[in-house]
Every structure is written in structure tokens, then in C-alpha cells.
Amino acid sequence: MPKIVVSMWITLDGFVAGPDDEMDWLLADDQLQRYERDLVESAGSLMLGRVTHADFAGYWPVAARNPDEPAAVRGYAQRLDALEKIVVSASGNIADWRGTRRIARIDPDEIAEIKRESGGDIVVYGSLAVIRSLADLRLIDEIHLLVHPLFLRQGKALFDGGRPPARLDLVSAEPFESGVVLMTYRPRGAATGRSTPRN
């Protein structure tokens, strides 16, 4: 059965973006870029919130056709462009991008059907509201945290308060030369299955 895989860049103090969505702290070395390519190559679809989908739709389809982009970036962009995109949006006001379909909310029965139909893992990028809803309903199968070696001190946290603690089991830890560490976890009690390959 395909997995719901959440992949996030995060700081040591738990922020995924600055107060105004700043991402200038990212350390995108060759190892991180290879991880991102491997992740989408084995994926069957992306699951995104409305805003993240719009951001991606405004950039990656253009990059996929731009001969001036480095080959690795263009290949990644072409893979994203080819994947099915599942957008979680109550309003339905979503960007135009081929291969996109909308679901109104995170519903366990609908998510189970999406997993049955998917040709590979369902990768969730960004989209904090989507991730929090999936976590609250215990629908996440695997979490990849690309932990960056800095304290941002302020910004947007991956999870907000008001919910009980959730335990995770460590699957693997892979340090990159940049100082980023790829931490792969499964929610405690989740069924074990194949792990996403690490090269």
C-alpha cells in the first residue's frame, strides 16, 4: 500500500519558515537535491494545500520547459509536472496545473481511496494546515524532516499547540555535508512497510 509521506525542511527550534514565509536559511546542497529527486521519482502523487499548489504551479511547469535550467532542476521539475497533484481546498479556487484534482477536506475514507488508487507514495510538501489535519487524524505514514543547523528563533512552527503529544519511531538518520540531517520517522504504532530508498 502506498504511504502518505510528509517531507519538510525544519530548523533545530522547530520552524519551517520565517514569520513572513522566509526560506533564505535553506542549505540546498547536492545531497539534499538528490534526496528531493529520489523522493518524487518513487512517488505516485503530490498532496498540497491551495497556496503551496499555486506557488508550485507558478514555477515548476515553467522550469520543466526552460532549457536554461540546470539538467537536475529541469528533471525534478518535469517529474513534478508529470505527477498527479491532489489539492486540498474548500473554496475550489485553485491554480491551473495539468494533472490536478481537488478534494474539499482531509477525510479518512477519501484518503484511503486515494492511497488505493495511487501508483506510488503520496508526498506532502509545505501546506501546514494539510499536514496538521493528516496528523490529527493519524493518517501520516512517514515523516521526513530535513533538520537545518540553526536556531531561527521566530517563524512558523510545523505544529501548533492544543493537541496531545505524539510519539514517533526513528527509521533512519542521514547527515549531509552541509550540516543538514535527514531524519525519517514513523508515527508510533504505524504499520511497518518499505522505507523510501536512501542513496
Side-chain angles (χ1 to χ4, degrees):
M1 173 73 75
K3 302 190 298 291
I4 300 282
V5 178
V6 169
S7 179
M8 291 293 292
W9 300 321
I10 192 167
T11 66
L12 281 172
D13 49 353
F15 295 110
V16 297
D20 296 313
D21 291 321
E22 301 94 333
M23 302 292 289
D24 54 354
W25 46 272
L26 295 179
L27 299 172
D29 65 357
D30 289 344
Q31 288 172 293
L32 189 146
Q33 291 179 34
R34 186 166 60 249
Y35 155 78
E36 296 288 359
R37 290 195 304 271
D38 290 347
L39 181 65
V40 299
E41 282 299 328
S42 63
S45 55
L46 301 178
M47 182 176 291
L48 307 166
R50 180 183 59 81
V51 174
T52 302
H53 176 267
D55 289 344
F56 277 33
Y59 181 79
W60 291 115
V62 176
R65 298 187 297 272
N66 184 355
D68 295 328
E69 290 283 1
V73 173
R74 195 165 64 251
Y76 176 77
Q78 289 167 351
R79 179 58 182 158
L80 290 186
D81 197 35
L83 282 171
E84 177 192 40
K85 276 72 68 174
I86 302 163
V87 186
V88 184
S89 171
S91 71
N93 184 24
I94 60 175
D96 184 36
W97 190 5
R98 71 174 182 143
T100 293
R101 65 167 161 147
R102 180 181 75 93
I103 60 175
R105 67 187 189 284
I106 300 296
D107 174 80
D109 292 335
E110 192 166 13
I111 296 299
E113 183 64 26
I114 289 169
K115 290 174 73 173
R116 281 193 293 271
E117 295 172 352
S118 181
D121 290 341
I122 300 154
V123 174
V124 185
Y125 281 135
S127 313
L128 293 180
V130 172
I131 292 170
R132 291 167 181 172
S133 294
L134 289 167
D136 289 348
L137 293 168
R138 299 179 59 84
L139 297 175
I140 296 172
D141 298 300
E142 203 164 272
I143 301 171
H144 299 180
L145 297 179
L146 292 141
V147 182
H148 281 60
L150 82 156
F151 297 123
L152 198 57
R153 301 190 185 278
Q154 59 178 340
K156 296 185 176 180
L158 177 54
F159 291 107
D160 51 11
R163 303 290 297 180
R167 297 285 184 182
L168 306 173
D169 291 322
L170 179 66
V171 175
S172 63
E174 180 184 352
F176 296 166
E177 291 182 4
S178 64
V180 172
V181 181
L182 170 60
M183 307 292 291
T184 301
Y185 294 96
R186 288 195 190 100
R188 182 156 294 179
T192 57
R194 66 175 181 84
S195 297
T196 302
R198 296 282 174 263
N199 296 323

